[in-house]
Amino acid sequence: MIADEESLAEVIAAFAAGTGPVAVDAERASGYRYGQRAYLVQLRREGAGTALVDPVACPDLSGLGEALSGVEWVLHAATQDLPCLREIGMVPSRLFDTELAGRLAGFPRVGLGAMVEGVLGFVLEKGHSAVDWSTRPLPEPWLRYAALDVELLVDLRDALEKELDRQGKLEWAHQEFDAIASAPPPEPRKDPWRRTSGMHKVRRRRQMAVVRELWQSRDRIAQRRDISPGKVLGDAAIVEAALALPANVHALSALNGFGHRMGRRQLEQWQAAVDRAKALPESELPQPGQSVSGPPPPRAWAEKDPAAAARLSAARTAVSALAESLNMPQENLITPDTVRRVCWEPPSTPDAESVAASLAGYGARRWQVEQVTPVLVASLAATAP
């Protein structure tokens, strides 16, 4: 494993001198550590071989990123790895996503192991995908497993490129890859505590305040200790406390998730969070539901706007049929959110030009606009008053 600046400089020189695309993968420690940082970066390129780089020992890999500028990076499920690679200075200008390519080509299973087996006929070693990659030193079998993740990525890319070309979808794939490479980093999520698992059970604003206080306390502790928030306190326990609104530590300790293993001090800090929420004035309690831009949930359409509900039903059926005929998942043909937005507020004159402009305005790629516009125009016309 590359874990010092001298070895890293040699790797940078070797990969800069290599030829063709570079296979890239990253391993995180989700479920063990706080956040989504990379704990191992694997690379492979013709003429350079394979390198396993330790981003804990070498936290700035911008030199490696610059050496590979302009080179096509081959990743599997690129959007999962790009945020943690960006943090250490590795940002591709061009990429090929083998998972997304598999979706567009209509493969039923698009995990790396299934793709390598189905397309290339090799079976990848399994067994270490969910390990704690922050472990040091990393055991030899784990390193071998990690190296295998990039061993055949370029071969897989080449085979998928041929298949996409055969199906007439290669240009579509390039547009998708360009969109991923050029996308800005996502905005921080507003009110992340609202995504607590089981939140749908929490109805009252005071209870929501308890979820918020417990979630924020847990997050501070997890960040300070650099461990996964779920290892500090489970989502189920947070929801349980919010529903029960315990009056004291004794009542809290009787709830699931706050049992006998938890020390008095820990119980007191969670009870303090509950008490803070209970003491908030009405004006500071969270509002129910997130303020979301765009249309309401589809289940509410029939009551709020029956005509829009009819448009959405027709459009969904048409888009589903088109996706089936193109042999790809519906969400890769066009996002369900885009279809909802067009159906909720259709253009005043829903012709091909205006519908195409609406789709493009919601971020649809050129190939998606070309494929989906005719079926949406037909759906809107069929349900027009």
Side-chain angles (χ1 to χ4, degrees), residues 34-92:
Y34 185 86
Q36 293 294 315
R37 66 173 291 188
Y39 283 94
L40 185 68
V41 176
Q42 308 100 285
L43 305 104
R44 182 174 176 81
R45 193 180 189 197
E46 188 70 34
T50 298
L52 304 179
V53 183
D54 179 2
V56 177
C58 304
D60 180 9
L61 297 185
S62 55
L64 183 55
E66 285 163 18
L68 297 170
S69 176
V71 176
E72 181 188 83
W73 295 22
V74 184
L75 301 105
H76 192 80
T79 52
Q80 292 181 23
D81 287 339
L82 288 179
C84 70
L85 290 170
R86 185 181 282 114
E87 281 180 7
I88 52 178
M90 295 185 66
V91 184

Side-chain angles (χ1 to χ4, degrees), residues 285-300:
L285 296 178
Q287 293 298 325
Q290 281 171 288
S291 55
V292 290
S293 61
R299 62 180 177 273

Side-chain angles (χ1 to χ4, degrees), residues 23-25 42-44 50 112 146-154:
V24 182
D25 190 26
Q42 308 100 285
L43 305 104
R44 182 174 176 81
T50 298
L112 181 59
L148 286 172
D149 275 354
V150 290
E151 181 79 18
L152 297 169
L153 260 188
V154 174

Side-chain angles (χ1 to χ4, degrees), residues 76 98 102 107 109-120 156 160:
H76 192 80
T98 49
F107 284 86
R109 293 164 62 224
V110 292
L112 181 59
M115 294 281 286
V116 165
E117 190 170 351
V119 177
L120 302 177
L156 180 60
L160 288 170

Side-chain angles (χ1 to χ4, degrees), residues 114-197:
M115 294 281 286
V116 165
E117 190 170 351
V119 177
L120 302 177
F122 291 98
V123 179
L124 284 181
E125 184 178 332
K126 298 186 179 78
H128 301 299
S129 59
V131 297
D132 180 2
W133 289 98
S134 69
T135 301
R136 291 296 181 275
L138 283 167
E140 191 70 27
W142 296 16
L143 294 174
R144 187 171 61 245
Y145 167 88
L148 286 172
D149 275 354
V150 290
E151 181 79 18
L152 297 169
L153 260 188
V154 174
D155 293 343
L156 180 60
R157 171 231 177 273
D158 293 345
L160 288 170
E161 182 179 61
K162 285 179 186 165
E163 179 58 25
L164 287 167
D165 193 32
R166 187 187 71 77
Q167 294 186 22
K169 297 175 180 174
L170 186 56
E171 174 54 30
W172 302 358
H174 285 152
Q175 289 179 35
E176 292 296 304
F177 302 155
D178 289 346
I180 294 171
S182 62
E187 293 285 322
R189 198 183 291 281
K190 189 171 180 277
D191 292 345
W193 57 271
R194 290 185 186 270
R195 292 178 64 83
T196 303
S197 182

